[in-house]
Amino acid sequence: MKAIREFDVLILGAGPAGCTVALFLRNSGLKVAMLDKAEFPRDKVCGELMHKKAVETLEEILPGFTSDFTGFSKTLVLKKTKVHYKEQVLDFSWQNASYTCKRVDLDNYLLNTVKSKTDTYIQTGIALGKPEIKDNKVVIETTDGTQQFTGKMVIGADGAHSIVAKTFASKTVNKEQYLGAVRAYYSNIEGLSPDTAEVFFNTRNRFNYLWVFPVSGGEANVGFGLLSNNISKNKLSLKDEFKNYFIESDILKKKFENAVETHPLEGFGVPLGPDMGISCGERFLLVGDAAALSNPLSGTGIGNAVVSAKLAGEQVLRCFKSNNFSDSFMQSYRDALQVNIVNGLQQSLKTQRFISKMPFLLDLVFFLARSKRFRHFIQSRV
Ligand SMILES: Cc1cc2nc3c(=O)[nH]c(=O)nc-3n(C[C@H](O)[C@H](O)[C@H](O)COP(=O)(O)OP(=O)(O)OC[C@H]3O[C@@H](n4cnc5c(N)ncnc54)[C@H](O)[C@@H]3O)c2cc1C
């Protein structure tokens, strides 16, 4: 017999975006379910550098989050960046911290926070079919037909291959706005400091960088990404391009001389903004990677996943207050995304295109950044 479970809001996906929506709605009085196909703790291929805006937004939603999260044994607080280019190094110290936490730990930490702070109904390790709108409800069934979930609306927080985005927003991969990215873990890296992110720029494939981000346990997350159309047009192999970094840079060679690969290279897609197409409509809102909100310059998306989730939570409250779940009523979510996220992504895209057309600009920036004043100027703006 089929078990029918009725809710006000269904959240598909329990990554940073899904968990943030659940936390936002914790005092709303709404009956919320969060469903994820994976069993937790689950890994997610990622560089794992968290911008401060993710933590600040979670702090707004859940006061005390920052101190809990920075006290979590798997979190590192980063205050410095070493930028490498053509064997030159620039050191930056930031006023604002960024964070790293392995996604297997971060996402489980967030899910446990949802469990302890909210009444959200949570089911993980569940295979779901396509969502449908029937009789003014969103209906989702498990693929084995044993369970049915209904909600007045659904939040698509189900990542880069979102089933909600494919079904309700007809999303497909746009190779010009999609990164193929890989990462591995290493230990025993020479000079790795737990408070310093390192990036190694090169101009082999236009504007590009390899990251070495320290994570807990003395390891580093090491990886890079390339635009999908560049990969397919030039028949590039991400594995080979990854190796090339180490062949071409003496600094990297030395740094990794005795390094041990503790987890092999793995890849995943990153849907980039800002032209992300449909982000919402009748009875659905897309957040995070499902809405394609990663930054085209840096490839980072956790911050925008969390911010978009908060904006979606606000839209959910408006919908229930007005009992209006129509496409036109979702306009305020589109507007909020535009102001809070998309304008910034448009600026990043312009910068990314400008630099990749004129890679010599990196030489100029490096030349200027030898001056302390110029570095202070940059540090005061990030
Ligand atoms: C190699 C790489 C490096 C990156 N580096 C960084 C970085 O350093 N910093 C940064 O900020 N961002 C980085 N990103 C981007 C970042 O990983 C994403 O932007 C972020 O994970 C988006 O969060 P999300 O909650 O939207 O989606 P996800 O974290 O992908 O979570 C989606 C969840 O939905 C679940 N799900 C999927 N389909 C279904 C379904 N049909 N039914 C139920 N559940 C489903 C999944 O199991 C998953 O738990 C990187 C990405 C890659 C690939």
Side-chain angles (χ1 to χ4, degrees):
M1 218 178 58
K2 190 180 293 180
I4 299 187
R5 306 183 197 283
E6 293 183 2
F7 296 91
D8 294 312
V9 184
L10 301 177
I11 303 170
L12 235 67
C19 285
T20 304
V21 179
L23 289 171
F24 184 90
L25 294 175
R26 77 188 188 287
N27 296 323
S28 63
L30 296 171
K31 230 178 137 195
V32 179
M34 186 163 69
L35 312 169
D36 199 297
K37 67 177 182 184
E39 289 288 7
F40 282 63
R42 67 103 181 86
D43 196 11
K44 153 79 178 82
V45 176
C46 185
E48 298 167 337
L49 186 80
M50 251 172 110
H51 195 267
K52 66 172 170 118
K53 85 173 156 189
V55 175
E56 281 172 1
T57 306
L58 282 159
E59 173 73 34
E60 276 173 40
I61 293 171
L62 190 67
F65 178 87
T66 313
S67 63
D68 272 4
F69 180 59
T70 50
F72 177 47
S73 61
K74 310 284 183 176
T75 304
L76 293 186
V77 180
L78 275 60
K79 284 248 164 167
K80 295 178 197 160
T81 307
K82 270 184 191 295
V83 182
H84 302 258
Y85 179 57
K86 291 187 179 170
E87 307 298 294
Q88 304 167 69
V89 188
L90 291 174
D91 292 295
F92 292 91
S93 295
W94 312 111
Q95 276 166 8
N96 296 305
S98 51
Y99 308 84
T100 60
C101 185
K102 281 189 173 181
R103 289 295 298 271
V104 68
D105 299 317
L106 170 72
D107 292 23
N108 203 42
Y109 171 89
L110 291 173
L111 184 63
N112 283 335
T113 308
V114 174
K115 282 181 186 165
S116 64
K117 304 283 182 192
T118 78
D119 295 328
T120 309
Y121 171 89
I122 296 167
Q123 212 174 322
T124 52
I126 184 172
L128 297 165
K130 280 185 180 182
E132 282 177 275
I133 298 178
K134 270 190 209 162
D135 304 328
N136 295 327
K137 277 181 186 161
V138 179
V139 181
I140 309 178
E141 287 199 6
T142 52
T143 48
D144 63 8
T146 58
Q147 295 188 73
Q148 183 185 80
F149 299 89
T150 68
K152 294 209 170 104
M153 62 191 300
V154 64
I155 312 296
D158 47 346
H161 309 297
S162 166
I163 194 169
V164 182
K166 272 182 208 152
T167 310
F168 289 152
S170 309
K171 280 220 171 139
T172 51
V173 170
N174 171 358
K175 284 189 172 183
E176 287 185 22
Q177 283 186 233
Y178 202 83
L179 278 185
V182 287
R183 70 95 177 88
Y185 292 107
Y186 288 86
S187 65
N188 213 28
I189 298 171
E190 197 177 303
L192 183 75
S193 169
D195 69 349
T196 308
E198 295 196 52
V199 287
F200 293 78
F201 281 99
N202 79 16
T203 50
R204 251 177 87 83
N205 294 297
R206 296 182 158 201
F207 169 72
N208 201 241
Y209 70 90
L210 179 99
W211 67 76
V212 179
F213 294 155
V215 289
S216 65
E219 287 180 293
N221 176 319
V222 185
F224 87 113
L226 282 179
L227 271 183
S228 288
N229 67 346
N230 189 4
I231 298 172
S232 50
K233 230 192 259 167
N234 298 305
K235 299 196 170 52
L236 299 173
S237 142
L238 284 172
K239 259 191 185 164
D240 291 345
E241 294 304 315
F242 183 77
K243 282 186 201 149
N244 278 333
Y245 270 99
F246 297 86
I247 293 167
E248 286 171 5
S249 160
D250 287 338
I251 295 181
L252 272 173
K253 245 183 250 166
K254 188 157 178 351
K255 228 176 158 43
F256 282 77
E257 207 169 23
N258 300 310
V260 178
E261 188 190 77
T262 51
H263 190 103
L265 210 58
E266 277 187 283
F268 205 75
V270 190
L272 305 172
D275 302 321
M276 70 272 194
I278 294 168
S279 56
C280 52
E282 188 192 345
R283 296 190 186 274
F284 78 94
L285 300 169
L286 302 178
V287 290
D289 273 7
L293 295 174
S294 284
N295 187 300
L297 190 57
S298 63
T300 56
I302 302 171
N304 284 344
V306 169
V307 173
S308 61
K310 176 179 173 251
L311 301 174
E314 289 166 353
Q315 179 64 30
V316 168
L317 297 187
R318 285 192 287 270
C319 288
F320 278 90
K321 193 170 172 209
S322 307
N323 194 27
N324 190 339
F325 303 91
S326 65
D327 177 46
S328 60
F329 195 71
M330 302 301 175
Q331 187 57 38
S332 35
Y333 178 62
R334 280 181 209 108
D335 293 344
L337 278 184
Q338 183 70 39
V339 171
N340 292 281
I341 297 178
V342 180
N343 288 346
L345 294 178
Q346 279 162 347
Q347 203 50 49
S348 294
L349 183 65
K350 270 189 205 159
T351 311
Q352 186 263 337
R353 288 194 170 147
F354 189 64
I355 297 175
S356 59
K357 271 188 206 141
M358 288 184 263
F360 62 85
L361 280 176
L362 271 181
D363 295 271
L364 181 65
V365 170
F366 258 74
F367 179 74
L368 293 172
R370 285 180 190 160
S371 130
K372 264 192 179 165
R373 274 177 76 181
F374 184 76
R375 283 216 299 282
H376 279 149
F377 171 78
I378 294 179
Q379 284 166 178
S380 64
R381 270 159 180 75
V382 175

